Amino acid sequence: MIWDNDLECLDRKQLEKLQLERLKQTVQKVYDKVPLYRKQFDKKGLRPGDINSLDDLRLLPFTTKDDLRDNYPFGLFAVPQEEVVRVHASSGTTGKPVVVGYTADDMEMWTGLVARMVTMAGVTSKDVAQVAFGYGLFTGGFGLHYGLERAGATVVPASGGNTEKQIMLMQDFGTTVLISTPSYALYLAEVAQMKGIDPRKDLKVRLGLFGGEPWTEEMRAEIEQRWDMKATDNYGLSEVLGPGVSGECQYACGHHIAEDHFIVETINSDTGEPVKPGEEGELVFTSLTKQAFPVIRFRTKDISVINQEQCKCGRTTARMRKVTGRTDDMLIIRGVNVFPSQIESVLVNMEGLSPHYRLNVTRKGFLDEMEVLVEVSENTFDGRFKELERLEKEIKEKLYTVLSVNARVRLVEPHTLERTSGKSKRVYDYRNQEGG
Ligand code: DLL
């Protein structure tokens, strides 16, 4: 089913007309209401009236996470605080978070876009949808909650954590849809199994809506196998909206972007210039309808490819390839570029290993060293050291083939690496720390 048939299936010419109208309004609004944007426009000698085509978007300045941090907490809001009905904040790893706000109209738009996205993934009013994202400043819990409700599902606001209780709720309420980070879905399956519950047979979860962190196709296959479910991906970020920016339809061939509310560009992250159609680049979003917190050309640091061909599902909106990396999560090990997703692809495909791993990067003298810690699966670790040595060697060789980097590999016992109910942290880079 298509939630918003008229808008999701618009002819591209009509869509672009709508985008331009909305872009002009947004540009005028930020110029009038947000001092940072006015300053940046003035510096470039730009007036809102100079934006007369979608190509003129390139004249506009980029917005970065630092701009948002520098204007903490409400400096980039375009409406008075009494019109803001909700704030959220993105999970900053260091320092102050980035704060975003929503008016009542923004909330309505957000709810509608999430309803659109969950419907696209296959949720219906017959579903019992358990939201295992944190309810709080993170946009995941509340964002999914209202859209699922709008789509008519029976929502179980379990929030993150309390893993055993999550399983109990799934059993007792007959949960059919799980909403969480992909790494938490794996952890939930593991805990269920430890309690003697087989997620494939004893639970009714048929569909997963996962997002909030990168995960590979190999990880998707692993989750689908452990749960006997269809695992779909959806993407979003607080600065732009939260969840609801894009999501997969039943064909899972890229995420449909809500282009009537956002313009997406892909740029070369070094030069800031647009990449050619079909080429990989950094995603940049401009909001078209947001009232409290409009953003102009927000640089996400997420890497993807945009495809404007019409999808088999009938939707005409552009699709973005699943995001498996960010410009800032690429590790440079002895001069070689390494993406954590490459390591995940190798590990998840190998027999005898669990999908839990951790990368430690250190520097000895002037040389970078990478250590990969991998958990073996239950029945692999039974004290046969020769076998383990052989497995470590095999992983090391496979990693070298893919990365051209020599990594130290250490197998660890099952259930020893940290799990979280939110976004997982797998890379620990100690190189810039004293003694690292
Ligand atoms: O993670 C919003 C969200 C919540 C999306 C729940 C989907 C589901 P932030 O906390 O601001 O917002 O983090 C945004 O997380 O720039 C990406 O790097 C990453 N990210 C989010 N979804 C995906 C995904 C939410 N499906 C940042 N695949 C983004 C890969 C993702 N990375």
Side-chain angles (χ1 to χ4, degrees):
M1 179 193 154
I2 299 185
W3 182 257
D4 250 333
N5 203 69
D6 291 351
L7 289 163
E8 291 179 73
C9 302
L10 262 185
D11 165 74
R12 186 142 284 274
K13 277 232 156 56
Q14 279 176 289
L15 173 67
E16 288 179 356
K17 190 164 165 264
L18 179 70
Q19 285 184 321
L20 181 59
E21 238 168 67
R22 292 178 165 181
L23 176 66
K24 285 180 171 183
Q25 286 164 5
T26 299
V27 168
Q28 185 68 55
K29 184 180 167 92
V30 298
Y31 188 77
D32 293 342
K33 307 281 184 195
V34 187
L36 172 81
Y37 285 116
R38 176 179 285 252
K39 212 162 85 194
Q40 287 181 336
F41 281 36
D42 287 348
K43 213 161 120 194
K44 286 183 152 235
L46 198 65
R47 291 283 170 277
D50 297 335
I51 304 302
N52 292 306
S53 73
L54 289 181
D55 284 340
D56 290 340
L57 187 68
R58 288 190 208 151
L59 304 173
L60 298 171
F62 288 118
T63 311
T64 64
K65 202 157 188 143
D66 283 340
D67 293 324
L68 273 60
R69 283 211 185 93
D70 294 345
N71 289 280
Y72 176 84
F74 303 150
L76 295 187
F77 285 12
V79 296
Q81 181 254 307
E82 56 264 38
E83 287 179 34
V84 175
V85 299
R86 173 88 69 80
V87 291
H88 279 285
S90 92
S91 41
T93 40
T94 49
K96 302 265 191 205
V98 162
V99 181
V100 297
Y102 306 78
T103 63
D105 282 350
D106 291 334
M107 290 307 303
E108 185 56 29
M109 179 273 277
W110 191 13
T111 301
L113 285 191
V114 173
R116 193 192 269 196
M117 186 194 84
V118 301
T119 304
M120 190 148 50
V123 175
T124 73
S125 58
K126 296 205 175 89
D127 280 305
V128 177
Q130 189 161 325
V131 182
F133 275 131
Y135 281 62
L137 288 173
F138 176 51
T139 51
F142 282 106
L144 262 307
H145 181 103
Y146 289 100
L148 283 160
E149 241 177 47
R150 179 67 57 88
T154 305
V155 182
V156 183
S159 195
N162 229 335
T163 306
E164 296 202 0
K165 189 163 173 196
Q166 301 265 5
I167 312 278
M168 183 194 85
L169 295 176
M170 284 181 190
Q171 275 184 309
D172 296 351
F173 295 176
T175 299
T176 55
V177 180
L178 170 64
I179 296 101
S180 69
T181 55
S183 51
Y184 193 46
L186 277 179
Y187 182 35
L188 279 163
E190 188 179 78
V191 172
Q193 264 150 355
M194 283 186 330
K195 289 173 67 72
I197 297 162
D198 181 351
R200 297 174 58 86
K201 296 203 197 95
D202 306 329
L203 299 175
K204 290 194 184 137
V205 182
R206 64 169 189 93
L207 177 66
L209 266 60
F210 302 122
E213 64 183 8
W215 51 311
T216 56
E217 287 301 336
E218 287 78 9
M219 191 65 95
R220 189 200 306 257
E222 182 75 26
I223 294 175
E224 291 191 328
Q225 195 273 330
R226 284 182 182 224
W227 283 92
D228 189 21
M229 65 147 75
K230 183 172 164 52
T232 66
D233 186 29
N234 61 84
Y235 165 90
L237 62 169
S238 328
E239 296 87 345
V240 174
L241 180 74
V245 175
S246 71
E248 289 177 328
C249 66
Q250 57 173 308
Y251 296 105
C253 49
H255 300 42
H256 289 275
I257 301 167
E259 279 190 289
D260 44 332
H261 295 273
F262 307 102
I263 299 182
V264 64
E265 300 169 83
T266 28
I267 60 161
N268 175 316
S269 56
D270 296 326
T271 63
E273 290 300 316
V275 298
K276 294 203 190 84
E279 266 182 23
E280 194 176 81
E282 176 184 344
L283 294 173
V284 172
F285 286 97
T286 298
S287 71
L288 297 175
T289 52
K290 286 209 304 174
Q291 299 301 316
F293 192 78
V295 278
I296 302 290
R297 303 191 84 197
F298 180 73
R299 291 188 61 157
T300 63
K301 298 196 172 172
D302 293 321
I303 304 165
S304 183
V305 179
I306 303 295
N307 172 5
Q308 282 194 349
E309 274 167 38
Q310 188 174 337
C311 178
K312 279 184 279 187
C313 70
R315 293 176 181 85
T316 52
T317 41
R319 281 167 286 154
M320 52 179 262
R321 191 189 68 191
K322 193 169 178 344
V323 171
T324 47
R326 290 173 53 83
T327 56
D328 55 1
D329 71 13
M330 184 182 78
L331 295 161
I332 303 183
I333 310 287
R334 301 194 183 188
V336 181
N337 299 348
V338 173
F339 283 97
S341 58
Q342 294 175 296
I343 297 172
E344 180 173 303
S345 298
V346 170
L347 300 178
V348 176
N349 262 339
M350 288 184 67
E351 286 281 313
L353 302 180
S354 90
H356 301 281
Y357 62 94
R358 167 183 170 138
L359 313 177
N360 291 328
V361 186
T362 50
R363 182 169 286 152
K364 284 245 166 69
F366 292 105
L367 286 183
D368 301 324
E369 300 209 331
M370 183 166 73
E371 181 184 46
V372 182
L373 269 62
V374 199
E375 269 183 24
V376 290
S377 38
E378 287 292 350
N379 36 17
T380 315
F381 202 84
D382 62 0
R384 281 174 290 133
F385 288 106
K386 274 258 148 16
E387 276 299 291
L388 294 174
E389 264 174 33
R390 188 195 51 75
L391 189 53
E392 279 178 352
K393 193 159 162 268
E394 193 185 328
I395 300 170
K396 197 175 154 81
E397 284 167 1
K398 285 216 163 119
L399 287 174
Y400 188 79
T401 317
V402 174
L403 310 171
S404 308
V405 162
N406 260 315
R408 242 194 351 255
V409 175
R410 188 145 57 94
L411 294 176
V412 298
E413 288 190 57
H415 318 295
T416 47
L417 296 179
E418 193 195 5
R419 273 71 159 152
T420 72
S421 63
K423 302 189 186 221
S424 57
K425 179 164 165 60
R426 295 198 169 106
V427 180
Y428 291 78
D429 193 341
Y430 299 106
R431 283 176 296 184
N432 293 325
Q433 294 173 16
E434 229 176 298

